[in-house]
Amino acid sequence: MAEARDPEGVTNERSTDSELFSSLFGGAPTHVARAPGRVNLMGEHIDYCDLAVLPMATQHEAQLQFRARDDGLVRITNQDPEFDPVEFELGPAIAPGSRGDWRNYLQAPANELARQFAIWRGLDGVLSSDIPVAAGLSSSTALVNAVGLALAEVNEVLLAPAQFAELMAEAEHYTGTRGGGMDQAIGFGARAGHAACIAFSPLRMRHVAVPEDWCFVVADTGVRAEKSGRAQGPYNQRRSECEEALDVVVQFALQHDRLPTRPRGYPDLLRMLGAAEVISLAEEALEARLLKRFRHVVTEADRVDQAVDCLLSADLAGFGTLMDASHGSLYADYQVSSRELDELVAIAREGGGAGARLTGAGFGGCIVTLADRGTVGAVLETLAEQYFEPRGMGDGIDDRLFVAVPSAGASVGNSVAAAGA
Ligand code: NG1
């Protein structure tokens, strides 16, 4: 996994952030923490089943310019006035704000780090992010990761990236969403030019180069799917359904002597019996809704393995076919798609995409489609003409429709502003 510390110092620092910092707090920030967003290429809604996923970090990131304080106060202002300034005292039992309040994403890492390490030193900071919000591109985890890194830095907490990722995954449950560990893992462990196949419990990461002429295009429906809001209930419900389905299948298999011992979870069950036998068991044991959820999980896990092979052999058509199958499963079995997502997927395919699927939690947010360099222009144009322009979403389209650049993981380093102050 990549080093969390940025040894080169920092480039592309947002200068307006340091200006705002000095007007709010006086002087200059000393450090900057950066945490990227991500696009998941394959393996949706299976990280919380401890099954492997295949995301990559993107060029979009959250940046926190900060300076340590000599007390336990944390004061963070967002460049975006949509989000109110946040102030809280460090401690292991910070009271959460109301549901949907963005402060919860700042308090989450503070609360967890204080629980584990009795940290005491707060910070002043200015935060900015160009990751589309509530779009399935990990905007929330980027906040958690950036604030977590900054607090670890000022309190001299040293953690390996994998440990940090696991800690931040636990931390984010503070917000009420029972997410898996994918976003935190790719957020810390990503390598430029690569996607990563991430396995869990314990966290392991295999970096896989993205072929030079492959372009993953992201298109945002413009429908927000806030996991701190309306999407939280359905998201948590899916996770509970997966847990329940696994319990029922295992119980049934044990009762009918189809399993020698109790498996520890989905990966163990699949290792013991193989996907085909597991699905046939599920067809006997589960009622319709749980069977759908279960079938998505098992087939999606298989698609992740196949997608890694396609990446390794630069099989673009094969990868596209898997994307289509994944979307079909998320639509029909997992029921997390939406009219707008389905429409974007159809347009992307019509425009020449090798395949397309919703990415992230769904319920709104983004799709991802794959094209080679020769075709990507046509795909972008078709999406613009058939989805964005008719809806009057042509202005600022670059934020909603872009080619994702496989980027590096989070880092913390000295602020350029401090050097110039
Ligand atoms: P997004 O797409 O950021 O809402 C969520 C979860 C992931 C994963 C995906 C679905 C969090 C922080 N992230 O991501 O763990 O389950 O949905 O694959 O909860």
Side-chain angles (χ1 to χ4, degrees):
M1 283 186 148
E3 260 295 310
R5 183 152 244 294
D6 179 2
E8 304 290 315
V10 167
T11 51
N12 300 327
E13 208 165 287
R14 295 175 186 140
S15 58
T16 48
D17 290 4
S18 44
E19 284 160 23
L20 179 60
F21 185 99
S22 104
S23 76
L24 290 169
F25 307 119
T30 56
H31 290 78
V32 56
R34 312 154 67 103
R38 64 100 184 93
V39 54
N40 190 19
L41 307 179
M42 194 64 68
E44 220 60 83
H45 282 277
I46 61 171
D47 58 347
Y48 48 72
C49 298
D50 266 351
L51 291 163
V53 294
L54 182 64
M56 68 185 201
T58 63
Q59 65 271 40
H60 300 116
E61 62 180 22
Q63 275 192 20
L64 178 68
Q65 300 212 25
F66 65 96
R67 186 177 62 205
R69 293 177 58 90
D70 287 328
D71 60 18
L73 203 60
V74 176
R75 299 190 296 179
I76 295 177
T77 292
N78 197 318
Q79 270 284 2
D80 182 343
E82 185 188 335
F83 302 98
D84 290 335
V86 168
E87 190 172 313
F88 61 89
E89 193 74 39
L90 273 181
I94 307 169
S98 56
R99 185 159 158 252
D101 190 334
W102 85 290
R103 75 159 47 238
N104 289 337
Y105 293 97
L106 313 184
Q107 293 183 172
N111 193 71
E112 191 61 26
L113 282 164
R115 262 166 34 89
Q116 304 292 337
F117 301 103
I119 58 169
W120 62 274
R121 193 181 266 249
L123 55 80
D124 292 327
V126 166
L127 198 135
S128 63
S129 172
D130 59 3
I131 307 169
V133 173
L137 300 176
S138 200
S139 59
S140 63
T141 296
L143 300 184
V144 172
N145 287 350
V147 173
L149 262 183
L151 284 170
E153 176 73 18
V154 301
N155 286 284
E156 296 173 353
V157 173
L158 288 178
L159 288 173
Q163 262 179 302
F164 217 131
E166 284 181 322
L167 196 73
M168 291 301 101
E170 193 53 44
E172 200 164 331
H173 289 177
Y174 174 93
T175 66
T177 307
R178 294 181 61 224
M182 163 170 66
D183 301 354
Q184 299 78 6
I186 192 69
F188 281 103
R191 188 180 286 174
H194 293 70
C197 182
I198 301 169
F200 301 96
S201 302
L203 193 56
R204 287 148 290 152
M205 192 173 262
R206 177 181 180 193
H207 297 281
V208 190
V210 176
E212 279 287 306
D213 65 336
W214 285 29
C215 301
F216 286 104
V217 172
V218 174
D220 185 353
T221 58
V223 179
R224 283 189 173 195
E226 270 116 357
K227 278 208 307 348
S228 58
R230 77 174 172 90
Q232 190 175 82
Y235 180 92
N236 287 344
Q237 187 195 336
R238 295 298 183 288
R239 181 169 183 159
S240 304
E241 287 168 343
C242 290
E243 289 163 355
E244 193 187 339
L246 179 68
D247 278 352
V248 174
V249 169
V250 166
Q251 206 47 43
F252 179 89
L254 288 170
Q255 273 163 7
H256 293 80
D257 293 327
R258 310 258 292 269
L259 266 175
T261 51
R262 181 176 286 279
R264 286 189 307 277
Y266 276 95
D268 217 15
L269 176 66
L270 286 167
R271 257 192 309 271
M272 285 161 103
L273 298 181
E277 171 64 8
V278 164
I279 289 185
S280 120
L281 260 177
E283 282 164 354
E284 293 173 63
L286 294 173
E287 49 81 14
R289 186 172 41 94
L290 287 188
L291 175 60
K292 285 177 171 212
R293 307 297 189 251
F294 190 89
R295 192 167 49 206
H296 167 73
V297 169
V298 172
T299 57
E300 186 78 350
D302 186 49
R303 283 187 287 271
V304 170
D305 292 343
Q306 293 187 53
V308 171
D309 291 343
C310 289
L311 262 183
L312 289 169
S313 60
D315 176 2
L316 181 125
F319 200 102
T321 304
L322 293 166
M323 292 174 98
D324 289 346
S326 173
H327 188 76
S329 178
L330 288 159
Y331 166 82
D333 278 352
Y334 222 64
Q335 298 178 297
V336 292
S337 192
S338 68
R339 191 167 41 80
E340 293 84 358
L341 285 165
D342 296 340
E343 193 179 336
L344 269 180
V345 160
I347 297 171
R349 289 177 191 150
E350 198 186 311
R357 57 186 288 278
L358 72 83
T359 184
F363 313 109
C366 291
I367 66 141
V368 58
T369 181
L370 171 61
D372 62 24
R373 286 216 181 275
T375 321
V376 69
V379 173
L380 290 165
E381 210 175 293
T382 311
L383 285 163
E385 278 171 8
Q386 293 190 26
Y387 187 88
F388 293 96
E389 284 159 18
R391 285 175 168 75
M393 291 161 75
D395 286 347
I397 195 168
D398 293 351
D399 295 337
R400 299 180 188 277
L401 179 63
F402 56 87
V403 177
V405 180
S407 301
S411 62
V412 61
N414 295 332
S415 166
V416 171

